Amino acid sequence: MCGPTLFMAGERWRCFLAPSRSSVFRVLHNSCCRKKSTTPKKITPNVTFCDENAKEPENALDKLFSSEQQASILHVLNTASTKELEAFRFLRGRRSINIVKHRENFGPFQNLESLMNVHLFKYKSTVQVCNSILCPKTRGEKRKLPENRFLRKFLKPDIERERLKAVNSIISIVFGTRRIAWAHLDRKLTVLDWQQSDRWSLMKGTSYSSSVYLEEISSIISKMPKADFYVLEKTGLSIQNSSLFPILLHFHIMEAMLYALLNKTFAQDGQHQVLSMNRNAVGKHFELMVGDSRTSGKELVKQFLSDSVLKADPRVFFPSDKIVHYRQMFLSTELQRVEELYDSLLQAVAFYELAVFD
C-alpha cells in the first residue's frame, strides 16, 4: 500500500492515500480533466473608459463596446497609416507597424478580438488601445505632450500655447548683483526699448530690507512700458554652495518682487504675465555653452547691431531713430562688460524663437 500522495487540484494542495499505482493515475487524470474544464478567472483591465457606466464583459471582448463604438474603432484600425496610428495612446513604435503589416497580410480586421492576433497585443492592451481611440480628449492631450515637455524645460510656469502664439510684445529682464537690464521687443523682433540701470545699492550690506527692495524695484518698473509677458532670467546657481547664499537670497527676493509687482491682474484672472526662462537654455540656443558654463554674448549682440544696418532682413531689427543710441550704449560697455545688458536682448530673441515661433 502506497503512502500519502500530494497533488495540485485547482489551486490547493490536497492529500490522498493511494492504495494502488493505478488509482493514483486515475485521480491525477480526473484532476487534470477538472483543471481543464475549470472556468478561467475573469480578467479585469485597469483602464478608465470614456463611458463611466460601461460594464465589464462576461466573455467576449466585443461585448465591452457598443456596435457604434466597435465600428469607429475598426474604421481607424483598418484605414489609418502607421504615422496616424502612432498618434493614439499605446500605439507607438512596433504596435502600429504590426497592425499595418497584419492588415496587409490578412486583410482588414473583422472584429475587435481579431486585434489580439497581432504581435504585442493581449487582452488588456487591446482594451486600452480601443479605449484610447474612443477618447479624442486623451488622444489630443497625448499629442501635445512632446511640445509641452519641450517648453517646460526652459519656461516656467506652464502657459497655454495659444497665449504664447498671440504675443505681440515682451519685456526681457535680467538682473545681477549690481545692475538690472531689460529689452522690449515685439513679435517682429524689433527692439522697442533697451535699457539698463546700475544705480542701486541692494547688495550693499546684508540687511536685505524688504522696503529698500520695494522702493528700488518699483522705481525701475515705473520706467518699463506695458507688455504681454515679462520674462525673467532664471539662473542655475547651486544651493549646495554656502558661499553663494547671499547672492541666491538676493536673486530670490528680486524674482519674488518682480513676480508680485508685474503680475498686476493675477488676483482677478489667475493669468501669469511673468515667466522665468532658463539661462542655459538661452545659451544653448545661441551656442554660447562650453560644457556647463555659458560664455559672453557680447560679440553676438554686436553682430545683431551691425546686421541691422547692413542687411535687408536682419535677425533683430533696431529702429533707425534709435540705432545710434543703442550703439553708443553698447560701446560704453567695451571696457567693462555688462552681461545683463547683452543677456536681456538675447533672452528676448530666444523667447520668440523657441516659445512663440514654430
Side-chain angles (χ1 to χ4, degrees), residues 230-270:
Y230 300 88
V231 185
L232 312 184
E233 181 184 72
K234 187 70 173 180
T235 60
L237 294 178
S238 173
I239 60 174
Q240 304 299 326
N241 190 339
S242 59
S243 64
L244 296 177
F245 179 77
I247 297 175
L248 281 170
L249 180 58
H250 165 72
F251 283 162
H252 282 301
I253 294 175
M254 284 289 299
E255 185 179 45
M257 285 281 185
L258 289 169
Y259 263 83
L261 294 173
L262 292 173
N263 269 318
K264 297 179 180 178
T265 62
F266 184 80
Q268 288 75 37
D269 55 23

Side-chain angles (χ1 to χ4, degrees), residues 78-96:
N78 289 326
T79 61
S81 64
T82 302
K83 186 176 181 180
E84 290 169 338
L85 288 171
E86 287 182 343
F88 295 96
R89 296 183 65 189
F90 312 111
L91 281 181
R92 293 181 179 176
R94 294 299 306 174
R95 282 184 176 175
S96 59

